[in-house]
Amino acid sequence: MIDGDGIIEYGSAAFRAEHWLVRFVGTDDGRTLLAVDHGRVDVIDMATGAVTTGPRVKAVTTHADVVAVAPADRPDTVTLLTLPELTPRAEFDAGGPVYRLAMSGGTIAALTAEPYTLALIVDGTTHRIDLPDEATCLALSPDGTLAAVGTNKGRTGNVLLVDVPTGTVRHTLTGPRAPVTAVAVSAAHDVVVAAAGPRVLGWTPSAKKPKATSLWVSPKDGASLAGITPSGRLIAYSWKGSTAAVDPSTGTVDWEIDSYGPVLVHGERVVSVRFGDCRELDPSTGAVRHTWTHRGYMTRLSAVGDTVVGSGRDSRPMLLRPGTTEVPELGDGHSRSVVAVSFDGDRFATTGEDNRVCVWQRGRPAPLFTATIDVPTVARYHGVALDGGTLFAGDRERLLRFTVGDPEPAARSERLDGNVVAAASLTDRGEVLVACSKGYRNGVFYRLDALTLEVRAQAKAPYVLGTIAYTPGSATFDLRWATGFRTYEIKGFAETGGCEHGGYRSRLYVTPDHTLLVTLDSREETATLRVLDIAARTELHDAITIPAVTGDACMSAAGLLTTGHADAVRLWDVRSGTLAGVLPLRTPAGWGAAVRWTPGETAVLVSHSSGGLQEVPASVIG
């Protein structure tokens, strides 16, 4: 997207989370998905991918076309917002800091702390019930007239059953041998169930003194509740074990199936995850009705209409639609920090922590090409090189060659000795150069045939954390990292020079002519630049104090140190020690941001921890 400021945004905003632990919540309007991330709730239009930014909240729930939240700036209140624009509708005083919400029928239920209470809001009137112990979970019956609250008594727990119209505690249900982690109430009010430790227990609330009945015991770890179907079947599961259907009135286990991950009950539909497979099960028999297979592992399930929405480590919504085996994803581009960038003319390639490699056409918001790779979980550097229609990318201990347009690799190297952390295409030699890391300051260099990816030469390397800089026709290349660089011969990999700075916590940047060394020491509010004449080994001028730098800076071909800040990108003439220019930012640069100059230095590409990319034109220098 290009607005009046000339900034180009790459990729979709539909999953631009601040953190990969974003939680997606389906709504009942058939088109809207909520993204709850670090206390902020956003609305995603499933049809268009458009995002409406919502408020900071402490708790959120949804029912029909209404979203109930406890605003972060007013946690003692419950605010109702109408979808899809999150239009304010009503506000109620909960009487204490709200940390959990539920909504069903015409009832809003809220758990508040200090002290622990249950607030019930019906027809604009709030009833507060004092709770004897810490409340851990909350559920309402489908008609909103019966509430169940699970508690933590230390080594045990209880379930308080509350009559909503009168605001009275009908029963205190005992029996759990561990704190209660989930509760549910059947539509007919004939059973209340709870998960506590590895057990699922049930009670008959119509009894004068309801007694706990053991319904199911998890075979491996803690038990969880997916829910009770409208026909009254209880679906329970353990995250690393199995999914089971239980008759809650008799305790009979109708069926049990292996699973590994979350389970969703959506009406009479039961969806269970087993590693990369997401399976819809027959609620009566447990038979697999349909299977969706995805490259990643889903950690959360929700639903919008008939579409089941899964999300995983990279926080990207995955759409599981009835009758299809494909798993399209909502939006495109990266959903987590970009690790590496490779420019080639008006195209560039990126790899990210979301295990994706994308090829972009400058000025076009959507990627031309996307493929999946395996990027190490903690990776400051990663090997990627774009050469026309050919893309080289590291896949942990292998190098892959893609033809842009085909998501399946055209060639795959043998297993190399270490993770691929840097790559460069030696077009004039018909080879590709790779650096592999076996750990800090320990690794291997490789030259591979660019077509077959067969190894032509290799040598041990003491420094392999960094990026490879190569000029076509040159006999050498530079391996650059945060605190130094080394120059090596391409043939034989002999070291011919370099420089290293040993300063603790400093980052180092070298001017392209290798004459000046710039160290950057960042603190909370300011940062310090020091410029060293490499040949003379003396500081060129006094240290420069600048605003706090966020993320990774870079050096331009003209010798301008380019730094990201909360408000802008700044350009520093390190030779004179002066500010050369400022590029305003539309989105503040955060801790995971990185800045890189585009070819010809016409713009700065800013990558954000959310996976977002923005190209800021140098023509707007202030």
Side-chain angles (χ1 to χ4, degrees):
M1 180 176 65
I2 306 175
D3 287 338
D5 55 11
I7 295 177
I8 304 170
E9 292 192 356
Y10 295 96
S12 302
F15 46 79
R16 289 287 173 257
E18 294 182 6
H19 194 273
W20 65 273
L21 289 175
V22 61
R23 176 169 59 98
F24 293 103
V25 180
T27 65
D28 298 329
D29 67 353
R31 59 174 294 175
T32 305
L33 186 67
L34 303 182
V36 184
D37 175 43
H38 269 205
R40 190 187 76 205
V41 58
D42 292 341
V43 171
I44 305 173
D45 188 308
M46 295 275 287
T48 65
V51 176
T52 300
T53 301
R56 293 278 178 181
V57 299
K58 293 293 185 181
V60 60
T61 191
T62 180
H63 179 66
D65 65 343
V66 177
V67 178
V69 301
D73 57 348
R74 301 186 312 283
D76 291 8
T77 64
V78 175
T79 301
L80 302 187
L81 308 171
T82 303
L83 293 172
E85 292 85 7
L86 293 180
T87 307
R89 179 170 176 172
E91 186 171 289
F92 306 98
D93 182 7
V98 176
Y99 63 94
R100 185 153 301 181
L101 286 165
M103 188 162 48
S104 189
T107 303
I108 304 166
L111 293 179
T112 68
E114 302 173 5
Y116 291 103
T117 63
L118 170 66
L120 297 172
I121 304 170
V122 182
D123 296 329
T125 302
T126 302
H127 301 283
R128 287 172 56 84
I129 298 99
D130 292 334
L131 303 176
D133 303 295
E134 175 190 359
T136 55
C137 48
L138 171 67
L140 288 169
S141 61
D143 63 3
T145 63
L146 198 61
V149 178
T151 68
N152 177 3
K153 296 174 64 66
R155 295 184 178 181
T156 63
N158 289 332
V159 176
L160 276 67
L161 196 60
V162 180
D163 184 77
V164 172
T166 63
T168 58
V169 177
R170 183 186 297 182
H171 294 295
T172 297
L173 306 176
T174 61
R177 301 176 190 174
V180 178
T181 55
V183 288
V185 181
S186 65
H189 296 192
D190 57 348
V191 67
V192 175
V193 295
R199 292 176 173 81
V200 174
L201 304 174
W203 296 265
T204 302
S206 60
K208 186 175 182 179
K209 294 183 177 180
K211 292 184 178 181
T213 301
S214 180
L215 300 179
W216 185 68
V217 179
S218 164
K220 290 188 177 181
D221 56 357
S224 299
L225 302 179
I228 300 175
T229 67
S231 60
R233 184 174 282 105
L234 168 66
I235 306 298
Y237 70 100
S238 62
W239 193 273
K240 299 179 181 179
S242 59
T243 301
V246 184
D247 185 330
S249 60
T250 65
T252 303
V253 177
D254 296 328
W255 53 262
E256 191 165 349
I257 187 172
D258 290 344
S259 61
Y260 194 106
V263 179
L264 172 72
V265 170
H266 183 51
E268 287 292 342
R269 297 176 67 189
V270 178
V271 180
S272 173
V273 170
R274 187 177 186 276
F275 299 104
D277 290 339
C278 193
R279 305 168 298 178
E280 182 165 347
L281 309 177
D282 186 309
S284 301
T285 65
V288 177
R289 288 177 169 175
H290 190 75
T291 300
W292 299 271
T293 299
H294 190 263
R295 60 163 191 88
Y297 170 50
M298 297 183 192
T299 58
R300 296 176 183 85
L301 293 175
S302 187
V304 177
D306 291 336
T307 300
V308 174
V309 181
S311 60
R313 175 176 173 267
D314 63 3
S315 302
R316 182 188 305 262
M318 295 166 273
L319 310 182
L320 314 178
R321 295 189 172 104
T324 65
T325 57
E326 296 182 353
V327 184
E329 297 170 338
L330 188 61
D332 48 36
H334 293 288
S335 58
R336 295 189 67 191
S337 293
V338 169
V339 176
V341 181
S342 174
F343 289 99
D344 183 37
D346 285 334
R347 289 187 177 185
F348 63 97
T350 54
T351 62
E353 291 180 355
D354 58 353
N355 291 331
R356 282 173 174 77
V357 56
C358 297
V359 176
W360 310 81
Q361 180 75 36
R362 287 186 58 196
R364 177 176 169 176
L368 299 172
F369 167 76
T370 300
T372 59
I373 54 176
D374 194 355
V375 179
T377 303
V378 180
R380 286 180 55 194
Y381 300 101
H382 186 252
V384 62
L386 180 63
D387 186 355
T390 302
L391 174 68
F392 301 97
D395 188 61
R396 283 197 179 265
E397 297 172 332
R398 298 182 187 275
L399 184 72
L400 306 182
R401 178 175 66 81
F402 293 93
T403 299
V404 174
D406 184 355
E408 293 299 318
R412 187 187 304 265
S413 76
E414 64 183 61
R415 188 177 296 276
L416 306 177
D417 194 6
N419 290 325
V420 176
V421 294
S425 177
L426 310 182
T427 307
D428 50 330
R429 295 172 177 263
E431 295 178 327
V432 58
L433 181 62
V434 170
C436 291
S437 172
K438 298 173 62 179
Y440 183 61
R441 297 186 174 184
N442 185 16
V444 185
F445 286 134
Y446 291 92
R447 286 204 326 272
L448 308 172
D449 183 280
L451 186 62
T452 65
L453 297 188
E454 294 179 354
V455 176
R456 288 184 175 179
Q458 70 180 79
K460 291 184 178 180
Y463 295 92
V464 294
L465 293 177
T467 59
I468 293 174
Y470 168 71
T471 302
S474 175
T476 63
F477 68 92
D478 284 348
L479 183 69
R480 299 175 180 174
W481 63 97
T483 58
F485 76 94
R486 285 287 186 273
T487 300
Y488 296 90
E489 292 180 349
I490 293 175
K491 191 172 183 179
F493 297 120
E495 183 180 321
T496 62
C499 180
E500 181 183 5
H501 176 72
Y504 177 64
R505 292 175 60 187
S506 297
R507 286 185 172 270
L508 178 146
Y509 303 91
V510 181
T511 54
D513 59 6
H514 291 179
T515 61
L516 299 180
L517 182 74
V518 183
T519 63
L520 174 61
D521 294 288
S522 295
R523 296 174 177 82
E524 290 186 3
E525 297 182 357
T526 62
T528 303
L529 296 181
R530 289 182 172 85
V531 183
L532 177 72
D533 185 306
I534 295 176
R537 295 191 174 276
T538 59
E539 290 195 5
L540 195 63
H541 44 68
D542 291 340
I544 311 167
T545 300
I546 67 174
V549 175
T550 56
D552 190 21
C554 69
M555 183 70 72
S556 77
L560 297 176
L561 183 67
T562 309
T563 56
H565 305 266
D567 60 339
V569 171
R570 288 177 169 81
L571 318 179
W572 304 95
D573 186 327
V574 295
R575 187 167 294 278
S576 65
T578 59
L579 178 65
V582 178
L583 304 178
L585 285 177
R586 183 185 300 165
T587 303
W591 62 269
V595 293
R596 296 290 183 269
W597 281 96
T598 62
E601 300 194 345
T602 58
V604 172
L605 186 69
V606 182
S607 65
H608 299 272
S609 57
S610 66
L613 292 165
Q614 293 182 340
E615 183 177 317
V616 185
S619 59
V620 300
I621 290 178

